[in-house]
Amino acid sequence: MKKLNLLFVCGAGLGSSFACQMVAEDVLNKLGVDVRLDHSDISSAVSAKPDIIITAQNFQTQFEKFSVDPKQTTIVYLKNIVSKQEIEEKITPLLKEKGVLA
């Protein structure tokens, strides 16, 4: 089974996406999940075709301009990108659905 790929996205692909990735890494470690993590800017994210994109709610309108195949990539929008609780609440069902969490 291939390793699940989570991509954290912000406008420039540097600051907030990396901060969110670090917080999510804590959540994933707590859940005992081993996935591939990376961060990127919006335009690169779409062509990367990750399993899950995690980004801030304010980027939703920008993502709607791209054609993202929902069968291939699920987009998770966060109100607070550094909230462990929100990240855990939103990704746990996806990780179960994708078979990496019991």
Side-chain angles (χ1 to χ4, degrees):
M1 183 174 163
K2 78 173 184 108
K3 191 180 271 196
L4 201 65
N5 186 15
L6 275 68
L7 188 62
F8 299 85
V9 179
C10 67
L14 299 170
S16 58
S17 60
F18 186 57
C20 185
Q21 178 182 332
M22 292 189 320
V23 172
E25 193 168 8
D26 289 343
V27 171
L28 294 163
N29 286 337
K30 173 187 162 196
L31 296 173
V33 176
D34 183 28
V35 295
R36 181 179 305 125
L37 305 176
D38 203 358
H39 57 278
S40 174
D41 63 282
I42 293 172
S43 57
S44 300
V46 177
S47 62
K49 298 181 181 175
D51 298 298
I52 300 172
I53 290 175
I54 300 176
T55 190
Q57 185 73 48
N58 60 311
F59 291 120
Q60 185 169 356
T61 56
Q62 289 170 282
F63 271 103
E64 289 169 354
K65 295 175 186 173
F66 294 100
S67 59
V68 177
D69 182 356
K71 292 178 184 167
Q72 182 175 357
T73 302
T74 302
I75 303 176
V76 175
Y77 297 104
L78 301 172
K79 292 178 185 167
N80 180 350
I81 61 166
V82 293
S83 166
K84 287 183 183 180
Q85 179 180 347
E86 182 180 7
I87 291 169
E88 185 172 349
E89 286 173 0
K90 290 191 175 176
I91 67 170
T92 298
L94 291 174
L95 296 172
K96 287 180 180 178
E97 177 185 308
K98 296 190 182 285
V100 295
L101 184 64

mmCIF file of all heavy atoms in Angstrom, residues 8 25 28 41 45 58 62 71 76 88 93 96 100:
data_model
loop_
_atom_site.group_PDB
_atom_site.id
_atom_site.type_symbol
_atom_site.label_atom_id
_atom_site.label_comp_id
_atom_site.label_asym_id
_atom_site.label_seq_id
_atom_site.Cartn_x
_atom_site.Cartn_y
_atom_site.Cartn_z
ATOM 1 N N PHE A 8 0.240 20.579 2.625
ATOM 2 C CA PHE A 8 -0.212 21.772 3.332
ATOM 3 C C PHE A 8 0.057 22.965 2.429
ATOM 4 O O PHE A 8 1.159 23.112 1.911
ATOM 5 C CB PHE A 8 0.519 21.892 4.671
ATOM 6 C CG PHE A 8 0.245 20.707 5.550
ATOM 7 C CD1 PHE A 8 0.984 19.543 5.429
ATOM 8 C CD2 PHE A 8 -0.800 20.728 6.458
ATOM 9 C CE1 PHE A 8 0.711 18.430 6.200
ATOM 10 C CE2 PHE A 8 -1.088 19.622 7.239
ATOM 11 C CZ PHE A 8 -0.333 18.473 7.107
ATOM 12 N N GLU A 25 1.738 17.420 12.155
ATOM 13 C CA GLU A 25 2.672 16.333 12.428
ATOM 14 C C GLU A 25 2.516 15.849 13.873
ATOM 15 O O GLU A 25 2.529 14.647 14.144
ATOM 16 C CB GLU A 25 4.106 16.799 12.174
ATOM 17 C CG GLU A 25 5.110 15.690 12.134
ATOM 18 C CD GLU A 25 6.465 16.141 11.603
ATOM 19 O OE1 GLU A 25 6.684 17.351 11.407
ATOM 20 O OE2 GLU A 25 7.295 15.259 11.397
ATOM 21 N N LEU A 28 -0.705 13.793 13.935
ATOM 22 C CA LEU A 28 -0.516 12.501 13.278
ATOM 23 C C LEU A 28 0.326 11.550 14.124
ATOM 24 O O LEU A 28 0.046 10.357 14.186
ATOM 25 C CB LEU A 28 0.095 12.703 11.898
ATOM 26 C CG LEU A 28 -0.822 13.431 10.912
ATOM 27 C CD1 LEU A 28 -0.024 13.960 9.727
ATOM 28 C CD2 LEU A 28 -1.952 12.534 10.454
ATOM 29 N N ASP A 41 2.790 26.028 -2.447
ATOM 30 C CA ASP A 41 1.898 27.138 -2.795
ATOM 31 C C ASP A 41 0.693 26.572 -3.555
ATOM 32 O O ASP A 41 0.698 25.417 -3.976
ATOM 33 C CB ASP A 41 2.639 28.178 -3.647
ATOM 34 C CG ASP A 41 3.092 27.605 -4.973
ATOM 35 O OD1 ASP A 41 4.114 26.886 -4.987
ATOM 36 O OD2 ASP A 41 2.403 27.842 -5.988
ATOM 37 N N ALA A 45 0.286 23.061 -5.798
ATOM 38 C CA ALA A 45 -0.461 22.025 -5.077
ATOM 39 C C ALA A 45 -1.383 21.244 -5.989
ATOM 40 O O ALA A 45 -1.487 20.021 -5.889
ATOM 41 C CB ALA A 45 -1.268 22.662 -3.949
ATOM 42 N N ASN A 58 -9.561 30.757 4.008
ATOM 43 C CA ASN A 58 -9.534 31.923 3.124
ATOM 44 C C ASN A 58 -8.991 31.616 1.719
ATOM 45 O O ASN A 58 -9.077 32.458 0.830
ATOM 46 C CB ASN A 58 -8.760 33.080 3.759
ATOM 47 C CG ASN A 58 -7.328 32.737 4.075
ATOM 48 O OD1 ASN A 58 -7.050 31.701 4.681
ATOM 49 N ND2 ASN A 58 -6.406 33.589 3.691
ATOM 50 N N GLN A 62 -9.868 30.525 -4.133
ATOM 51 C CA GLN A 62 -8.775 30.315 -5.081
ATOM 52 C C GLN A 62 -8.728 28.862 -5.562
ATOM 53 O O GLN A 62 -8.504 28.604 -6.735
ATOM 54 C CB GLN A 62 -7.443 30.728 -4.461
ATOM 55 C CG GLN A 62 -7.343 32.246 -4.323
ATOM 56 C CD GLN A 62 -6.156 32.660 -3.499
ATOM 57 O OE1 GLN A 62 -6.196 32.587 -2.285
ATOM 58 N NE2 GLN A 62 -5.106 33.076 -4.177
ATOM 59 N N LYS A 71 -12.187 12.633 -6.420
ATOM 60 C CA LYS A 71 -11.934 11.197 -6.243
ATOM 61 C C LYS A 71 -10.461 10.954 -5.929
ATOM 62 O O LYS A 71 -10.112 9.949 -5.333
ATOM 63 C CB LYS A 71 -12.329 10.422 -7.493
ATOM 64 C CG LYS A 71 -13.823 10.411 -7.740
ATOM 65 C CD LYS A 71 -14.146 9.685 -9.013
ATOM 66 C CE LYS A 71 -15.648 9.780 -9.288
ATOM 67 N NZ LYS A 71 -15.979 9.356 -10.637
ATOM 68 N N VAL A 76 -9.169 19.943 2.630
ATOM 69 C CA VAL A 76 -9.635 20.254 3.982
ATOM 70 C C VAL A 76 -9.350 21.732 4.228
ATOM 71 O O VAL A 76 -8.212 22.175 4.115
ATOM 72 C CB VAL A 76 -8.904 19.398 5.036
ATOM 73 C CG1 VAL A 76 -9.300 19.816 6.439
ATOM 74 C CG2 VAL A 76 -9.174 17.924 4.798
ATOM 75 N N GLU A 88 -7.235 17.640 14.015
ATOM 76 C CA GLU A 88 -7.578 16.264 14.369
ATOM 77 C C GLU A 88 -9.026 15.941 14.023
ATOM 78 O O GLU A 88 -9.324 14.875 13.459
ATOM 79 C CB GLU A 88 -7.322 16.020 15.858
ATOM 80 C CG GLU A 88 -7.531 14.581 16.259
ATOM 81 C CD GLU A 88 -7.089 14.276 17.683
ATOM 82 O OE1 GLU A 88 -6.430 15.126 18.321
ATOM 83 O OE2 GLU A 88 -7.401 13.170 18.150
ATOM 84 N N PRO A 93 -11.550 11.506 10.285
ATOM 85 C CA PRO A 93 -12.473 10.737 9.432
ATOM 86 C C PRO A 93 -11.874 10.422 8.054
ATOM 87 O O PRO A 93 -12.106 9.348 7.510
ATOM 88 C CB PRO A 93 -13.693 11.646 9.288
ATOM 89 C CG PRO A 93 -13.562 12.694 10.322
ATOM 90 C CD PRO A 93 -12.124 12.782 10.695
ATOM 91 N N LYS A 96 -9.423 7.536 8.346
ATOM 92 C CA LYS A 96 -10.167 6.275 8.485
ATOM 93 C C LYS A 96 -10.717 5.851 7.125
ATOM 94 O O LYS A 96 -10.618 4.686 6.742
ATOM 95 C CB LYS A 96 -11.297 6.432 9.503
ATOM 96 C CG LYS A 96 -10.820 6.502 10.929
ATOM 97 C CD LYS A 96 -11.970 6.667 11.900
ATOM 98 C CE LYS A 96 -11.445 6.732 13.333
ATOM 99 N NZ LYS A 96 -12.522 6.941 14.299
ATOM 100 N N VAL A 100 -5.854 4.373 6.611
ATOM 101 C CA VAL A 100 -4.576 4.470 7.340
ATOM 102 C C VAL A 100 -4.770 4.611 8.846
ATOM 103 O O VAL A 100 -3.803 4.663 9.598
ATOM 104 C CB VAL A 100 -3.694 5.646 6.813
ATOM 105 C CG1 VAL A 100 -3.276 5.396 5.382
ATOM 106 C CG2 VAL A 100 -4.385 6.976 6.953
#
